[in-house]
Every structure is written in structure tokens, then in C-alpha cells.
Amino acid sequence: MRQPRLSSVVERRLLVNYRIDPDIARRLLPSPLRPQLVRGHAVGGVCLLRLGSVRPSGLPGALGLRSENAAHRIAVEWDGPDGVETGVYIPRRDTGSRVNAWAGGRLFPGEHGRADFDVRETSDRLQVAYATRDGEARVDVTVDLADELRGSGLFADLAEASRFFQDGAKGYSATGAGRHLDGMQVHTDAWRVEAGLVRSAASSFFDDPDRFPPGTATLDCALVMRNVPVGWRPLPALAVA
């Protein structure tokens, strides 16, 4: 079945980023993916995403759905037919929506687990926490909006960080079968991000010492996107070697 293109509004996208030891990141990636390095580091993160007006492209926004979603991700590159391509590998997606959990991997790419979200937002502070119903993942972050990006070991300024993530628009997600990765590409003509100052961040994925021995995954920075219309295009599945 042909999967539809989707339209939506990113009501809030909070991206909390980590600097990762490249050798550790390599162990977590299926072939043919490899870490995309920035200043000698691999880049990982948690994307906490509230989507509104999600519907097949061409339908009115009033018919769309709204949902809280989360994805753990690692920036990657791979050899495509026209050269090196960049994007993100997503070992896990979770959602607060029963519809997304059922439709992911069926009607659109990306299998989702179920999770319960606790979100508190003001004009200058975002607090997002969630726990998955299978008990495998928990995240709790508090980020203040800032006028510039400070203290990052990955990016010199907000403009450099924005370009990096805008260029990584292709996402490939792990699947239960394990023989391929589901692909989705995001597009917008209104890309804009704001800097965030992390007040606290906990992630059972990046804080796991068995997955990331001490010193191999370090909290780096946060970015925020708000009220941006985006489109989603399915990509051909990527075979796993």
C-alpha cells in the first residue's frame, strides 16, 4: 500500500542534544549507517514533539489530529546513489496517541510505542516528561528559552546548530522485524529554531551506563521549534545489512 504524504504543524519541538563518543555511537547503529561527526563527536538527542493538524496532505487542517511524541536519535550518514547522505537514526519512537501507535509502520513509516506524557509550558520555560508503558524509556527535561546558544561543545552558535539539524531532514527508524529501517523526510519553508538553556535533563537511554559508559555521553545543548508548518514524505525502506 502506498503511504500518504502528511501535513502538520509543529506546535512544539524540543530537541535536547548530547555529545557522544564516536566508537560508542557506532556500536548502536545498524549497517549501512555510521555516525555523523561534529568537532570529533557523534551527536545524539531526544526529540520531544507536539504535532497539531496532522492529516494527509491536501485535507483541511481542521480535520487533523494532535499528539505528543518522542524519539531518541543519533545523527548519521550513509552512502547513497549520489554520494554521502545525512539524517538521523531513531532506535525508538513513542507517542501518547493510540492512533499513531496503531498507524505507525502501517499507514505511515515509523513504529511507535505507547507512552504517558506530562507537559508544562510557559512562554519562556518548557517542562516535558514521559514514561513508556513497557517501562523501557523515561525522560524528564526542563529548558528555558534563551536569546543565544551558550556552552555547546558541538556548535559555535545558533545558526550553525540550526543548519546542522535542518540538513538532517531524513529519519530512519528501527522496526520490530529488524530487516529494514522505515524512512520519513520532513520539509518546511518556514524553518526556524530558538536556543534553549537546559535546567535539568534525565534520559534513561543516554543515562544508561551499560549503553554509555561514564563520560561517553555528555549533555550539550537544546533547541526549540514552535508553531512551524511542516510536511512529511515517506522514504523507501533502507535494508539493514
Side-chain angles (χ1 to χ4, degrees):
M1 180 177 65
R2 183 179 181 183
Q3 294 169 319
R5 296 191 179 201
L6 301 175
S7 296
S8 66
V9 175
V10 172
E11 296 182 353
R12 181 257 300 133
R13 182 193 194 206
L14 173 55
L15 185 59
V16 180
N17 302 301
Y18 291 76
R19 300 190 302 274
I20 302 175
D21 181 284
D23 291 332
I24 297 297
R26 259 182 222 106
R27 300 175 194 172
L28 302 174
L29 300 177
S31 179
L33 304 179
R34 56 185 181 266
Q36 183 184 9
L37 302 186
V38 176
R39 292 180 168 84
H41 304 284
V43 183
V46 183
C47 179
L48 301 163
L49 180 68
R50 184 172 66 241
L51 293 175
S53 303
V54 181
R55 77 279 184 193
S57 297
L59 292 182
L63 299 178
L65 302 176
R66 192 171 189 239
S67 60
E68 287 283 353
N69 308 276
H72 288 82
R73 30 186 281 158
I74 298 172
V76 294
E77 62 184 26
W78 65 95
D79 296 322
D82 300 316
V84 175
E85 300 187 46
T86 61
V88 294
Y89 169 64
I90 303 167
R92 181 173 184 117
R93 289 185 183 272
D94 294 293
T95 182
S97 165
R98 287 192 297 266
V99 173
N100 288 3
W102 177 83
R106 293 183 176 95
L107 300 185
F108 57 82
E111 299 173 9
H112 290 64
R114 286 296 307 279
D116 297 304
F117 287 77
D118 181 12
V119 179
R120 305 176 190 184
E121 299 182 30
T122 66
S123 60
D124 56 4
R125 173 165 287 192
L126 305 176
Q127 296 174 274
V128 183
Y130 81 92
T132 60
R133 295 190 177 181
D134 63 7
E136 292 296 318
R138 297 177 309 281
V139 169
D140 190 345
V141 301
T142 299
V143 172
D144 290 343
L145 275 294
D147 55 358
E148 61 181 345
L149 195 68
R150 302 185 183 96
S152 172
L154 293 170
F155 308 108
D157 53 28
L158 179 60
E160 184 180 43
S162 178
R163 285 193 300 272
F164 177 82
F165 291 106
Q166 186 175 17
D167 291 343
K170 295 180 179 180
Y172 281 98
S173 305
T175 60
R179 295 187 295 271
H180 71 276
L181 305 177
D182 278 350
M184 183 79 89
Q185 182 173 9
V186 62
H187 168 76
T188 181
D189 294 324
W191 178 274
R192 60 181 181 274
V193 297
E194 301 170 84
L197 176 63
V198 181
R199 293 301 184 184
S200 63
S203 161
S204 60
F205 184 85
F206 290 107
D207 296 340
D208 180 358
D210 293 328
R211 184 181 287 115
F212 296 101
T216 62
T218 304
L219 184 66
D220 186 84
C221 65
L223 299 174
V224 179
M225 175 182 282
R226 296 188 288 187
N227 300 317
V228 173
V230 301
W232 307 85
R233 180 172 66 90
L235 298 172
L238 188 66
V240 173

